[in-house]
Amino acid sequence: MTGAGPGPAGAPPGGDAPDPTGPGPTERLTPDELRTLFLFAELDDDQLVWLAERGRVVEYPAGAVVHTEGEPASCFYVLLDGTIAMSRRVQGGGGELELFRSDYRGAYTGSFNAWLVDIGEPQIYMSTTRAVTDVRFLELPATDIGWAVKNWFPMAAHLMVGAATQGRQASATIERHERLVALGTVTAGLTHELNNPATAVVRATASLRERLYGWYAELGALAESGIDSRQLGAVAKVVRDAVTKRSSAPQLSPLDTSDREDELAGWLDGHGVADGWDVAPTLVAAGLRVDDLATLVDLLGPKAFPAAVGSLVYALEADALVHEVTEAAGRITGLLASAKQYTQMDRAPLQEVDVHDGIDATLTMLGHKLGDVRVVRDYDRSLPALTAYPAELNQVWTNLVDNALDAMDGEGTLTIRTAPAAEGDHCVLVE
């Protein structure tokens, strides 16, 4: 697009640009029309004439991409009619994040920093702009708008260069600090919560190894006792049945448990089982009684019976330890899932979310700070999913819960309630 007349001394020539509306006469704004836009309201008549000669009106249909982040920034756009949305890509596979949208006449987008070309800054579009509705823009070549800013407002241009370079450095420093603070919050909570199940796994696996070695010894004693294959099969069946039933054994009162342990320990001592008082609790916890073991005495005889009982006890203890490891590993998996939910790692920033998932993940991450505080979750599970930015919401929950815990000084009841909001179907109340 070539300027229609001479401009201020030293003005750069314009350049033709593709017309998004297709071939046709170029529509331009008059200087008086330009003056109605807040960006140009204070320009003098010559400056308005110069811009009017270089700017043209372009139109984009709803859904069209006006410019794309990362591409060379060739144009500066001023919104005349319609609604636009600006977005940026999120690093690390986070998708695209909408920054804002506007229908304000005079809102601008495109080559914001055309005036930075003299300091060697690459001129690219810093965001992607889309037409939400049919839109009309005043389009100006980036070279022209950059020249105008630097030559019409030299002091302001110098100030903006300083603000841009220092502002980027300050923003980068602040962003790094904020990321480190957020990482510290997640790491502190996760480390504290992972410590107990991880310690349980280490302790249980060490004990499991001891039980397995003991089991091998009892199996060797059984083999040396001279029992035949039929008798060994009967022992294996008793062990298998006892292990299978252990998890569903009835819960006894402390008094009933003590009575059964006393009865079984005395009976075991009378049948040659050393340390009957030590093994009776394991057998009773699995739901076994004297009658269940008496059949083994009749089948194996007094010589092999103690080894059979030892094998049974070690098998039950090993199974209990495997169950403990499984539960601890499940707890670790759940904590990692909560951390992923909290940080929204590998997920698009804008999602359909259930606010309760984020609140629960936040409580997990802050579990080390709860202390003696009782948490009441008064959730309305019928609430619909919302289109929102869950990572940002999780930061809101973090701040609210953290502030509440500070005010409670380590004791009391923290109630988190969700309910429909009065504003409409697409809003929820969290308090």
Side-chain angles (χ1 to χ4, degrees):
M1 184 269 297
T2 303
D16 290 325
D19 187 346
T21 59
T26 300
E27 179 186 354
R28 303 185 189 279
L29 298 184
T30 67
D32 288 340
E33 290 172 323
L34 281 175
R35 199 183 298 278
T36 65
L37 300 169
F38 72 90
L39 273 178
F40 311 126
E42 302 301 324
L43 298 182
D44 61 35
D45 291 341
D46 289 341
Q47 292 168 334
L48 289 172
V49 168
W50 188 84
L51 286 175
E53 292 169 350
R54 285 156 174 76
R56 62 171 187 163
V57 176
V58 296
E59 298 180 358
Y60 289 84
V65 176
V66 181
H67 60 73
T68 303
E69 178 184 353
E71 292 183 350
S74 60
C75 294
F76 182 79
Y77 301 89
V78 182
L79 183 64
L80 301 176
D81 298 294
T83 302
I84 58 172
M86 297 178 63
S87 59
R88 293 191 66 175
R89 291 189 295 270
V90 179
Q91 295 182 354
E96 196 171 73
L97 176 65
E98 182 177 314
L99 303 175
F100 61 84
R101 59 178 59 196
S102 177
D103 60 359
Y104 185 75
R105 187 173 188 273
Y108 49 89
T109 184
S111 181
F112 288 104
N113 300 330
W115 36 270
L116 285 176
V117 67
D118 286 349
I119 64 172
E121 291 283 346
Q123 296 307 297
I124 59 174
Y125 291 120
M126 303 304 294
S127 62
T128 296
T129 295
R130 291 182 174 83
V132 178
T133 65
D134 293 346
V135 296
R136 294 174 69 243
F137 288 106
L138 170 66
E139 179 191 84
L140 287 159
T143 53
D144 285 345
I145 196 70
W147 183 92
V149 170
K150 289 183 293 182
N151 287 273
W152 294 349
F153 315 105
M155 181 178 176
H158 288 306
L159 291 173
M160 288 191 294
V161 169
T165 53
Q166 295 180 22
R168 278 197 300 271
Q169 294 170 358
S171 296
T173 301
I174 292 171
E175 288 174 3
R176 285 195 298 270
H177 179 72
E178 289 176 341
R179 285 196 294 268
L180 287 173
V181 170
L183 180 61
T185 299
V186 174
T187 302
L190 194 58
T191 301
H192 187 277
E193 295 298 324
L194 283 173
N195 183 63
N196 287 339
T199 301
V201 169
V202 173
R203 182 180 61 250
T205 51
S207 298
L208 180 59
R209 183 179 291 108
E210 294 177 0
R211 298 307 186 277
L212 290 176
Y213 288 156
W215 195 10
Y216 303 152
E218 295 295 350
L219 290 176
L222 269 177
E224 293 174 357
S225 68
I227 62 174
D228 58 28
S229 59
R230 180 182 63 83
Q231 292 170 311
L232 184 60
V235 173
K237 183 178 184 305
V238 170
V239 170
R240 184 172 59 250
D241 291 345
V243 168
T244 301
K245 295 176 181 178
R246 186 189 66 82
S247 59
S248 59
Q251 295 295 319
L252 301 176
S253 69
L255 182 59
D256 289 340
T257 299
S258 178
D259 289 343
R260 288 196 183 185
E261 289 177 357
D262 289 345
E263 178 189 12
L264 188 57
W267 185 86
L268 289 171
D269 285 342
H271 288 79
V273 177
D275 301 322
W277 295 102
D278 291 334
V279 301
T282 300
L283 298 172
V284 170
L288 296 174
R289 306 188 69 169
V290 170
D291 292 344
D292 299 310
L293 299 178
T295 55
L296 274 181
V297 177
D298 297 336
L299 179 64
L300 302 177
K303 182 180 179 181
F305 179 68
V309 171
S311 176
L312 175 59
V313 169
Y314 278 122
L316 289 171
E317 290 179 343
D319 183 67
L321 289 167
V322 169
H323 180 71
E324 185 176 338
V325 170
T326 301
E327 284 200 337
R331 175 65 176 157
I332 291 172
T333 301
L335 286 168
L336 294 177
S338 294
K340 191 170 184 178
Q341 166 67 32
Y342 181 79
T343 60
Q344 291 298 299
M345 186 191 315
D346 301 329
R347 302 185 186 185
L350 186 64
Q351 304 173 38
E352 290 287 317
V353 298
D354 183 339
V355 295
H356 306 107
D357 294 339
I359 295 171
D360 287 339
T362 300
L363 289 171
T364 298
M365 292 300 100
L366 295 177
H368 64 292
K369 299 189 70 174
L370 291 175
D372 295 328
V373 172
R374 173 173 172 261
V375 178
V376 175
R377 293 171 169 86
D378 185 7
Y379 293 165
D380 182 350
R381 291 291 186 177
S382 67
L383 293 176
L386 301 179
T387 302
Y389 297 100
E392 283 81 353
L393 282 180
N394 289 345
Q395 194 58 51
V396 173
W397 312 143
T398 298
N399 293 338
L400 290 174
V401 173
D402 197 33
N403 289 343
L405 293 175
D406 286 343
M408 297 169 71
D409 198 23
E411 59 184 15
T413 300
L414 172 64
T415 302
I416 302 177
R417 184 177 295 108
T418 64
E423 286 78 2
D425 294 338
H426 299 290
C427 297
V428 301
L429 172 67
V430 181
E431 57 183 358

